Amino acid sequence: DIQMTQSPSTLSASVGDRVTITCRASQSINSWLAWYQQKPGKAPKLLIYKASSLESGVPSRFSGSESGTGFTLTISSLQPDDFATYYCHQYNSYPHTFGGGTRVEIK
Amino acid sequence: EVQMVESGGGLVQPGGSLRLSCAASGFTFSRYDMVWVRQAAGKGLEWVSAIAPAGDAYYSGSVKGRFTISREDGKNSFYLQMNSLRAEDTAVYYCVRKIWGHGFDVWGQGTMVTVSS
C-alpha cells in the first residue's frame, strides 16, 4: 500500500498568514493527489485535484504543487473560514490512502 | 442537485452485521466509481472500499473478507454489507462519488456505526 506522510499535524496561524502543508507519498502516484478541507461535524470538501487543479468554486487563495513524490497545499492569505483540518489523498491505485491530517488553528 | 444520502447505521454488538446503503441522485450513477470512507471519532479519514461501474470491487486490508460492497444501478444505490464487526469498525461512514482523475468530489453527510456490547 502507498503511505501518505502529512505534516505538520497541527499548525497555528493568524488571519492573513501564508500557510503551507506538505504530503509525501511512499512511491510515485503520477500526480493523482487531492486535498480536502474538513470542518467539525461535516463531510470533507474537495479543494485540489491532480496535485494542482483547483476544484470549481474553491477560492483562488488555495493552490497545490508537486515535486517528485512531495506535494504541497498553500493558502496564500489565511481567512477566518479556513480554520479546519486538511487531508491529502492519493488515488493513483487501490487501496487509496489519506494523509494523517493537518489541523489549522487560530494562533 | 447532485446528492448522496447514507442510511443503515446504528448500534451493533461485536461479531454482528450491518448493511449500509447510499442513495445517489442528480447524476448518471452507473458511470461512476462509488466509494466508502470512514472516520473514527477524533481520527483521520480511512478509505474502506470502492466499486467500479463494471462491478469490480476493492477493499482495504482492515475490512477485506468481512465487508462486501455492491451496487444496484437501477436504483442509483450502492451498499456496504459489514459482517464480523469489531469495536475498531466504530466510525462515521461516508459514501462518496469518485471521478477518475478528479478525486472524491461528492460526499454524503455520513452515517454513524457503533460496535459495542
Side-chain angles (χ1 to χ4, degrees):
Chain A
D1 298 1
I2 298 174
Q3 307 302 316
M4 303 301 294
T5 303
Q6 186 174 341
S7 63
S9 56
T10 306
L11 186 160
S12 296
S14 302
V15 172
D17 284 354
R18 182 181 181 89
V19 166
T20 299
I21 299 168
T22 62
C23 197
R24 182 161 297 280
S26 60
Q27 63 190 73
S28 173
I29 58 172
N30 300 305
S31 302
W32 299 122
L33 189 283
W35 291 96
Y36 303 86
Q37 176 193 67
Q38 187 181 33
K39 296 183 178 179
K42 300 293 186 181
K45 173 188 174 184
L46 177 64
L47 300 175
I48 301 285
Y49 63 94
K50 205 172 187 304
S52 60
S53 296
L54 191 68
E55 175 71 347
S56 176
V58 173
S60 59
R61 62 180 180 272
F62 292 92
S63 63
S65 62
E66 65 176 304
S67 177
T69 58
F71 300 85
T72 300
L73 173 70
T74 299
I75 309 173
S76 60
S77 178
L78 197 66
Q79 298 302 301
D81 191 48
D82 301 338
F83 291 97
T85 300
Y86 295 83
Y87 295 92
C88 63
H89 159 227
Q90 73 80 15
Y91 53 103
N92 178 69
S93 60
Y94 287 119
H96 290 341
T97 42
F98 290 92
T102 296
R103 182 184 172 198
V104 177
E105 59 182 30
I106 300 173
K107 191 172 185 179
Chain B
E1 179 191 6
V2 174
Q3 196 172 7
M4 317 255 302
V5 179
E6 304 94 340
S7 60
L11 174 64
V12 61
Q13 291 189 339
S17 298
L18 210 57
R19 188 194 195 210
L20 304 184
S21 299
C22 178
S25 59
F27 63 97
T28 307
F29 177 81
S30 60
R31 294 182 181 175
Y32 293 88
D33 285 30
M34 305 308 295
V35 179
W36 290 98
V37 173
R38 69 184 180 185
Q39 185 172 37
K43 302 297 184 182
L45 301 171
E46 181 186 9
W47 178 86
V48 174
S49 181
I51 186 164
D56 295 332
Y58 306 89
Y59 301 94
S60 70
S62 60
V63 308
K64 196 169 187 177
R66 300 187 299 123
F67 290 11
T68 302
I69 192 171
S70 61
R71 64 189 297 158
E72 200 166 356
D73 290 351
K75 292 186 176 182
N76 289 345
S77 296
F78 72 113
Y79 311 96
L80 188 67
Q81 177 66 44
M82 303 186 294
N83 298 332
S84 303
L85 282 161
R86 306 166 180 166
E88 53 265 35
D89 296 318
T90 295
V92 173
Y93 285 71
Y94 294 101
C95 66
V96 187
R97 182 179 82 169
K98 174 184 175 180
I99 296 182
W100 271 102
H102 203 97
F104 296 170
D105 70 326
V106 180
W107 296 65
Q109 84 286 354
T111 187
M112 184 70 206
V113 172
T114 303
V115 183
S116 175
S117 55

